[in-house]
Short mmCIF file of all heavy atoms in Angstrom, two decimals:
data_model
loop_
_atom_site.label_atom_id
_atom_site.label_comp_id
_atom_site.label_asym_id
_atom_site.label_seq_id
_atom_site.Cartn_x
_atom_site.Cartn_y
_atom_site.Cartn_z
N ARG A 218 126.56 170.30 -15.23
CA ARG A 218 126.28 171.25 -16.37
C ARG A 218 124.86 171.00 -16.97
O ARG A 218 124.56 171.79 -17.84
CB ARG A 218 127.38 171.00 -17.55
CG ARG A 218 128.73 171.48 -17.03
CD ARG A 218 128.81 172.96 -16.91
NE ARG A 218 130.21 173.27 -16.53
CZ ARG A 218 130.41 174.42 -15.76
NH1 ARG A 218 129.45 175.27 -15.52
NH2 ARG A 218 131.65 174.77 -15.55
N HIS A 219 124.24 169.93 -16.55
CA HIS A 219 122.85 169.64 -17.00
C HIS A 219 121.81 170.47 -16.44
O HIS A 219 120.79 170.55 -16.81
CB HIS A 219 122.55 168.09 -16.73
CG HIS A 219 122.68 167.77 -15.37
ND1 HIS A 219 123.92 167.46 -14.80
CD2 HIS A 219 121.78 167.54 -14.38
CE1 HIS A 219 123.85 167.13 -13.49
NE2 HIS A 219 122.49 167.28 -13.23
N VAL A 220 122.22 171.22 -15.34
CA VAL A 220 121.34 172.10 -14.62
C VAL A 220 121.33 173.56 -15.34
O VAL A 220 122.42 174.19 -15.17
CB VAL A 220 121.55 172.29 -13.13
CG1 VAL A 220 120.68 173.31 -12.44
CG2 VAL A 220 121.54 170.82 -12.53
N THR A 221 120.26 173.83 -15.96
CA THR A 221 120.24 175.18 -16.74
C THR A 221 119.38 176.13 -16.14
O THR A 221 119.42 177.39 -16.63
CB THR A 221 119.68 174.81 -18.12
OG1 THR A 221 118.32 174.34 -18.00
CG2 THR A 221 120.54 173.79 -18.85
N LYS A 222 118.76 175.88 -14.98
CA LYS A 222 117.99 176.94 -14.27
C LYS A 222 118.06 176.73 -12.81
O LYS A 222 118.05 175.64 -12.38
CB LYS A 222 116.45 176.84 -14.71
CG LYS A 222 116.19 177.16 -16.12
CD LYS A 222 114.71 176.96 -16.42
CE LYS A 222 114.43 176.91 -17.88
NZ LYS A 222 114.19 178.31 -18.37
N VAL A 223 118.31 177.87 -12.09
CA VAL A 223 118.27 177.75 -10.68
C VAL A 223 117.44 178.93 -10.07
O VAL A 223 117.77 180.05 -10.52
CB VAL A 223 119.66 177.77 -10.06
CG1 VAL A 223 119.65 177.86 -8.60
CG2 VAL A 223 120.54 176.56 -10.48
N GLY A 224 116.57 178.67 -9.20
CA GLY A 224 115.75 179.75 -8.62
C GLY A 224 115.75 179.65 -7.07
O GLY A 224 115.89 178.54 -6.51
N VAL A 225 115.52 180.75 -6.51
CA VAL A 225 115.39 180.84 -4.92
C VAL A 225 114.19 181.62 -4.57
O VAL A 225 113.86 182.76 -5.24
CB VAL A 225 116.56 181.54 -4.29
CG1 VAL A 225 116.35 181.97 -2.94
CG2 VAL A 225 117.83 180.74 -4.57
N ILE A 226 113.36 181.16 -3.82
CA ILE A 226 112.19 181.80 -3.26
C ILE A 226 112.30 181.60 -1.70
O ILE A 226 112.46 180.55 -1.13
CB ILE A 226 110.84 181.30 -3.66
CG1 ILE A 226 110.74 181.15 -5.17
CG2 ILE A 226 109.73 182.11 -3.01
CD1 ILE A 226 109.42 180.42 -5.72
N THR A 227 112.36 182.78 -1.04
CA THR A 227 112.61 182.77 0.40
C THR A 227 111.77 183.84 1.12
O THR A 227 111.10 184.84 0.54
CB THR A 227 114.25 183.06 0.63
OG1 THR A 227 114.38 182.83 1.98
CG2 THR A 227 114.50 184.44 0.20
N THR A 228 111.71 183.78 2.47
CA THR A 228 111.08 184.68 3.18
C THR A 228 112.25 185.34 4.15
O THR A 228 113.21 184.52 4.44
CB THR A 228 110.00 184.15 4.04
OG1 THR A 228 110.65 183.10 4.90
CG2 THR A 228 108.80 183.66 3.22
N CYS A 229 112.04 186.50 4.56
CA CYS A 229 113.05 187.19 5.41
C CYS A 229 112.43 188.25 6.30
O CYS A 229 111.71 189.04 5.82
CB CYS A 229 114.10 187.84 4.34
SG CYS A 229 115.54 188.55 5.20
N GLY A 230 112.84 188.18 7.54
CA GLY A 230 112.19 189.11 8.58
C GLY A 230 112.76 190.48 8.38
O GLY A 230 112.08 191.38 8.75
N ALA A 231 113.99 190.69 7.84
CA ALA A 231 114.59 191.97 7.72
C ALA A 231 114.07 192.75 6.39
O ALA A 231 113.53 192.10 5.52
CB ALA A 231 116.14 191.81 7.56
N PRO A 232 114.15 194.06 6.40
CA PRO A 232 113.82 194.85 5.17
C PRO A 232 114.87 194.59 4.11
O PRO A 232 115.88 194.15 4.39
CB PRO A 232 113.83 196.19 5.66
CG PRO A 232 114.68 196.21 6.85
CD PRO A 232 114.56 194.87 7.62
N THR A 233 114.41 194.84 2.83
CA THR A 233 115.28 194.75 1.71
C THR A 233 116.59 195.39 1.92
O THR A 233 117.64 194.87 1.68
CB THR A 233 114.57 195.26 0.46
OG1 THR A 233 113.35 194.57 0.39
CG2 THR A 233 115.39 194.93 -0.76
N TRP A 234 116.58 196.73 2.31
CA TRP A 234 117.70 197.57 2.51
C TRP A 234 118.74 196.93 3.48
O TRP A 234 119.92 196.91 3.07
CB TRP A 234 117.41 198.93 2.69
CG TRP A 234 116.88 199.22 4.09
CD1 TRP A 234 115.58 199.08 4.66
CD2 TRP A 234 117.80 199.50 5.29
NE1 TRP A 234 115.55 199.42 6.06
CE2 TRP A 234 116.88 199.63 6.49
CE3 TRP A 234 119.05 199.56 5.50
CZ2 TRP A 234 117.40 199.77 7.60
CZ3 TRP A 234 119.61 199.92 6.73
CH2 TRP A 234 118.67 200.07 7.88
N TRP A 235 118.31 196.38 4.51
CA TRP A 235 119.21 195.83 5.49
C TRP A 235 119.75 194.54 4.94
O TRP A 235 121.03 194.40 5.09
CB TRP A 235 118.54 195.68 6.90
CG TRP A 235 119.49 195.17 7.86
CD1 TRP A 235 119.49 193.94 8.41
CD2 TRP A 235 120.55 195.97 8.38
NE1 TRP A 235 120.58 193.85 9.34
CE2 TRP A 235 121.42 195.05 9.27
CE3 TRP A 235 121.21 197.18 8.08
CZ2 TRP A 235 122.41 195.39 10.08
CZ3 TRP A 235 122.37 197.45 8.80
CH2 TRP A 235 122.98 196.63 9.71
N SER A 236 118.98 193.75 4.31
CA SER A 236 119.53 192.56 3.81
C SER A 236 120.61 192.78 2.75
O SER A 236 121.72 192.11 2.70
CB SER A 236 118.35 191.69 3.05
OG SER A 236 117.31 191.21 3.99
N VAL A 237 120.48 193.90 1.99
CA VAL A 237 121.52 194.23 0.91
C VAL A 237 122.73 194.75 1.72
O VAL A 237 123.89 194.39 1.31
CB VAL A 237 120.93 195.37 0.01
CG1 VAL A 237 122.18 195.88 -0.94
CG2 VAL A 237 119.87 194.72 -0.84
N VAL A 238 122.73 195.56 2.77
CA VAL A 238 123.70 196.10 3.51
C VAL A 238 124.58 194.85 4.14
O VAL A 238 125.76 194.82 4.16
CB VAL A 238 123.28 196.92 4.74
CG1 VAL A 238 124.34 197.25 5.68
CG2 VAL A 238 122.78 198.28 4.07
N VAL A 239 123.82 193.88 4.68
CA VAL A 239 124.49 192.66 5.30
C VAL A 239 125.13 191.85 4.16
O VAL A 239 126.06 191.16 4.46
CB VAL A 239 123.34 191.87 6.14
CG1 VAL A 239 124.06 190.62 6.40
CG2 VAL A 239 122.90 192.72 7.28
N GLY A 240 124.66 191.85 2.94
CA GLY A 240 125.36 191.21 1.80
C GLY A 240 124.58 190.11 1.27
O GLY A 240 125.06 189.43 0.41
N GLN A 241 123.47 189.75 1.79
CA GLN A 241 122.56 188.67 1.22
C GLN A 241 123.40 187.36 1.08
O GLN A 241 123.47 186.74 0.02
CB GLN A 241 121.93 189.03 0.04
CG GLN A 241 120.95 190.13 0.08
CD GLN A 241 120.21 190.56 -1.22
OE1 GLN A 241 120.96 190.75 -2.27
NE2 GLN A 241 119.06 190.72 -1.31
N PRO A 242 123.92 186.88 2.19
CA PRO A 242 124.89 185.56 2.14
C PRO A 242 124.07 184.44 1.55
O PRO A 242 124.73 183.67 0.72
CB PRO A 242 125.41 185.50 3.50
CG PRO A 242 124.51 186.35 4.38
CD PRO A 242 123.98 187.38 3.59
N GLY A 243 122.85 184.20 1.97
CA GLY A 243 122.07 183.04 1.31
C GLY A 243 121.88 183.14 -0.21
O GLY A 243 122.17 182.26 -0.91
N ARG A 244 121.58 184.30 -0.60
CA ARG A 244 121.46 184.53 -2.13
C ARG A 244 122.77 184.24 -2.87
O ARG A 244 122.81 183.58 -3.89
CB ARG A 244 120.98 186.05 -2.33
CG ARG A 244 120.76 186.38 -3.80
CD ARG A 244 120.34 187.79 -3.94
NE ARG A 244 120.04 187.99 -5.40
CZ ARG A 244 119.35 189.02 -5.79
NH1 ARG A 244 118.81 189.87 -4.91
NH2 ARG A 244 119.01 189.28 -7.10
N LYS A 245 123.82 184.81 -2.33
CA LYS A 245 125.20 184.59 -2.91
C LYS A 245 125.64 183.17 -2.89
O LYS A 245 126.21 182.61 -3.82
CB LYS A 245 126.13 185.54 -2.33
CG LYS A 245 125.89 187.04 -2.61
CD LYS A 245 126.91 187.91 -1.95
CE LYS A 245 126.62 189.43 -2.29
NZ LYS A 245 127.53 190.21 -1.49
N THR A 246 125.35 182.46 -1.75
CA THR A 246 125.81 181.10 -1.73
C THR A 246 125.18 180.18 -2.85
O THR A 246 125.91 179.55 -3.52
CB THR A 246 125.32 180.41 -0.39
OG1 THR A 246 126.03 181.17 0.73
CG2 THR A 246 125.56 178.94 -0.23
N ILE A 247 123.87 180.40 -3.10
CA ILE A 247 123.27 179.79 -4.11
C ILE A 247 123.42 180.20 -5.56
O ILE A 247 123.82 179.59 -6.37
CB ILE A 247 121.74 179.45 -3.70
CG1 ILE A 247 121.58 178.64 -2.52
CG2 ILE A 247 121.04 178.82 -5.00
CD1 ILE A 247 120.07 178.54 -2.10
N LEU A 248 123.19 181.51 -5.64
CA LEU A 248 123.21 182.03 -7.05
C LEU A 248 124.58 182.45 -7.60
O LEU A 248 124.75 182.90 -8.69
CB LEU A 248 122.22 183.30 -7.16
CG LEU A 248 120.72 182.88 -6.90
CD1 LEU A 248 119.76 184.08 -7.17
CD2 LEU A 248 120.37 181.67 -7.75
N ARG A 249 125.53 182.41 -6.72
CA ARG A 249 127.03 182.64 -7.22
C ARG A 249 127.69 181.36 -7.00
O ARG A 249 128.29 180.79 -7.92
CB ARG A 249 127.58 183.83 -6.53
CG ARG A 249 127.06 185.15 -6.91
CD ARG A 249 127.89 186.23 -6.22
NE ARG A 249 127.31 187.61 -6.57
CZ ARG A 249 127.86 188.72 -6.03
NH1 ARG A 249 128.86 188.73 -5.34
NH2 ARG A 249 127.25 189.78 -6.41
#
Side-chain angles (χ1 to χ4, degrees):
R218 296 292 181 205
H219 54 281
V220 175
T221 61
K222 298 173 188 274
V223 175
V225 170
I226 305 174
T227 188
T228 57
C229 185
T233 308
W234 71 269
W235 183 247
S236 297
V237 171
V238 167
V239 170
Q241 298 181 310
R244 179 181 187 162
K245 289 179 181 175
T246 295
I247 295 175
L248 297 187
R249 288 189 185 178

